[in-house]
Amino acid sequence: MNHTSGITSFLPQFFAPGNGPTDFIVQDFAIIMIIAAVMIAITYRLKQPMVIGYILAGIIIGPFTPPFSLVSSIDTINALAEIGIIMLLFVVGTEFPMAKLRAVGRISIVVALAESVGTLFIVFFTAQYLGFSFFDSLFLGLALSITSTVVTVRVLEELGMIKDRSSTLILSISIVEDIMAISILAVLQSVASAGGDLSITNILVSIGIVGAFVGGVLFLGSRYLPGVIDRAGKTNDYALLLIVILGFAFGLSFLANGIGLSVATGAFLAGVIVAESKSSAVARILTLPLRDMFAAIFFISIGALMDISLVPAFIAPAAILILTSFGSKFLIVTGILAKSKYDTVTVLRTGFGMSAAKGELSLVVVKGGQDAGVLSSSILPLLGVITIVTTFMAPYVIRFGHKLRLSEERSAKKEDEPYG
């Protein structure tokens, strides 16, 4: 008797759905959490970023991984991914109160605009040369123009360099870059929902819709909604406050989705409005555990939705796109900062920090394009490979910049020493 075939035939039956939809959800959620816990323990032991463990956990449980799928419903994964996007972008928004946005320096705005737009177009034309479709190339360009703030900040904190001058520049540039990415994604999804017509008229209409939505939410929301949040906060009932702010997050996400924009846009703006309230610090603390859980589910769902059978065919394009993105961001960032009279160490540190990692927002962009129905099935696994590779490389790239600084400091000290 073939015991292997017996086990293989038994397991799919064991993981088959029970008596109703609730069995689907409980089973899938249990499997997601258990596999994620195992993979996170492994990546923690290997001292690798958690996002790698999440994506690998998703690949293991996904429907495209042989011999069978550990999850019973792809719809469950998609629903959890949507909630993950909303919670992730909402908490990101709470980090951007109006005062912080106004405090971003002119040099950060100039660098962010130049390197984001420059990288978008360079990657777009490279992807076109590699044979990708127009919309595939466009969404890839946007995804690879974004630096993973989460991964970069974590590495800088581990190095004890979070207060360094270059780190301040990286964070300021990332603020502008994130806002640009969310705005461009909203425009692209608006165009996609209108049938993908890229005429000047349609693009201007899409920009107008996005501008009206963002402007209206920020103008009206920042005037009236923080007061509602503060009234909930004054009750000292944390459950009430949590429900109110989650109501804003999901309500604005629903509204954004209803007019053809990404739920990420509505969630981010809800976070910005909450950041304007006096209860913002408490709100951030209350939502962080939810952010961590649903962000994990989002990355896991991305791994699960990746068709890994397509990965081998895209190893070479992934390598080319990684090098293209890294090179364009590094050269643009260092070029502008060098012309602005920054010292060499700060220039190089900022260049390496901004060029290294792709992550959360890059995946949100591609998931948004997939939801709009304009991307081919190969783009998600392609970006999954890019995310894993760049996230793995980021600590080493940033540490390399750190060593350059240390070596230059040692050289300066030797030059200052009197000759014996």
Side-chain angles (χ1 to χ4, degrees):
M1 179 179 176
N2 190 333
H3 294 288
T4 305
S5 62
I7 292 171
T8 304
S9 62
F10 165 74
L11 284 173
Q13 295 175 24
F14 179 80
F15 287 111
N19 298 320
T22 303
D23 297 306
F24 278 131
I25 298 171
V26 173
Q27 172 186 304
D28 291 346
F29 203 77
I31 291 169
I32 287 171
M33 290 293 104
I34 292 168
I35 299 294
V38 172
M39 292 307 300
I40 291 309
I42 293 172
T43 52
Y44 176 79
R45 294 278 296 181
L46 297 175
K47 296 182 179 180
Q48 295 303 318
M50 287 189 294
V51 65
I52 294 178
Y54 291 144
I55 294 175
L56 292 177
I59 291 173
I60 291 171
I61 68 174
F64 301 106
T65 306
F68 58 87
S69 174
L70 289 176
V71 291
S72 55
S73 172
I74 199 72
D75 293 333
T76 302
I77 296 175
N78 273 309
L80 292 173
E82 201 82 347
I83 296 173
I85 290 173
I86 291 169
M87 290 308 306
L88 180 65
L89 269 296
F90 170 73
V91 177
V92 169
T94 62
E95 301 289 340
F96 295 152
M98 300 290 193
K100 187 174 182 179
L101 297 179
R102 295 189 195 100
V104 173
R106 184 180 63 85
I107 185 64
S108 299
I109 295 172
V110 171
V111 172
L113 286 170
E115 59 92 6
S116 294
V117 176
T119 302
L120 192 160
F121 280 107
I122 292 170
V123 172
F124 169 80
F125 286 116
T126 303
Q128 288 273 277
Y129 178 77
L130 292 172
F132 290 95
S133 70
F134 182 86
F135 271 106
D136 285 354
S137 302
L138 200 55
F139 275 89
L140 276 173
L142 178 58
L144 296 185
S145 70
I146 309 166
T147 300
S148 173
T149 309
V150 172
V151 174
T152 304
V153 168
R154 186 165 295 172
V155 174
L156 292 172
E157 286 175 340
E158 289 174 358
L159 290 173
M161 294 185 62
I162 198 65
K163 294 184 179 178
D164 197 76
R165 189 185 188 191
S166 60
S167 300
T168 303
L169 273 171
I170 290 170
L171 294 175
S172 298
I173 295 168
S174 295
I175 288 172
V176 183
E177 189 179 75
D178 289 351
I179 294 169
M180 283 185 60
I182 292 166
S183 301
I184 295 172
L185 173 61
V187 172
L188 290 181
Q189 283 205 305
S190 180
V191 170
S193 66
D197 180 13
L198 282 170
S199 64
I200 297 297
T201 302
N202 198 31
I203 292 173
L204 290 176
V205 168
S206 298
I207 292 173
I209 292 171
V210 173
F213 179 72
V214 173
V217 168
L218 291 180
F219 178 73
L220 296 174
S222 61
R223 294 187 68 177
Y224 302 109
L225 296 183
V228 176
I229 296 166
D230 287 333
R231 278 196 289 275
K234 285 177 182 177
T235 64
N236 291 323
D237 186 335
Y238 292 150
L240 174 62
L241 179 60
L242 179 61
I243 294 301
V244 168
I245 59 180
L246 289 180
F248 284 136
F250 283 89
L252 280 177
S253 298
F254 174 75
L255 187 58
N257 189 60
I259 61 173
L261 306 182
S262 170
V263 293
T265 308
F268 178 81
L269 293 174
V272 174
I273 290 170
V274 169
E276 290 298 295
S277 70
K278 295 175 184 177
S279 306
S280 60
V282 178
R284 197 176 298 117
I285 292 170
L286 290 175
T287 53
L288 273 175
L290 290 174
R291 188 277 311 264
D292 292 339
M293 183 181 77
F294 282 107
I297 291 173
F298 167 67
F299 289 122
I300 292 166
S301 67
I302 291 297
L305 294 169
M306 287 171 53
D307 186 348
I308 59 171
S309 66
L310 299 174
V311 169
F314 289 99
I315 295 296
I320 293 170
L321 292 171
I322 289 171
L323 291 173
T324 302
S325 172
F326 183 93
S328 60
K329 286 176 79 74
F330 183 81
L331 290 174
I332 294 170
V333 170
T334 55
I336 294 174
L337 292 179
K339 284 186 180 264
S340 301
K341 307 285 177 67
Y342 281 87
D343 62 272
T344 305
V345 170
T346 300
V347 169
L348 292 175
R349 283 283 295 111
T350 307
F352 282 121
M354 289 303 303
S355 307
K358 312 296 172 224
E360 61 285 351
L361 268 184
S362 299
L363 292 169
V364 168
V365 164
V366 170
K367 182 68 169 58
Q370 186 184 60
D371 291 342
V374 294
L375 296 188
S376 61
S377 60
S378 62
I379 299 303
L380 193 58
L382 172 63
L383 195 73
V385 171
I386 291 172
T387 300
I388 291 172
V389 171
T390 57
T391 303
F392 177 78
M393 290 174 53
Y396 301 100
V397 172
I398 295 173
R399 283 190 183 100
F400 178 72
H402 179 58
K403 289 177 182 178
L404 284 179
R405 186 188 74 168
L406 293 178
S407 62
E408 186 161 316
E409 286 176 351
R410 291 193 195 102
S411 299
K413 285 180 182 177
K414 286 182 180 179
E415 289 175 7
D416 291 338
E417 290 174 0
Y419 290 98

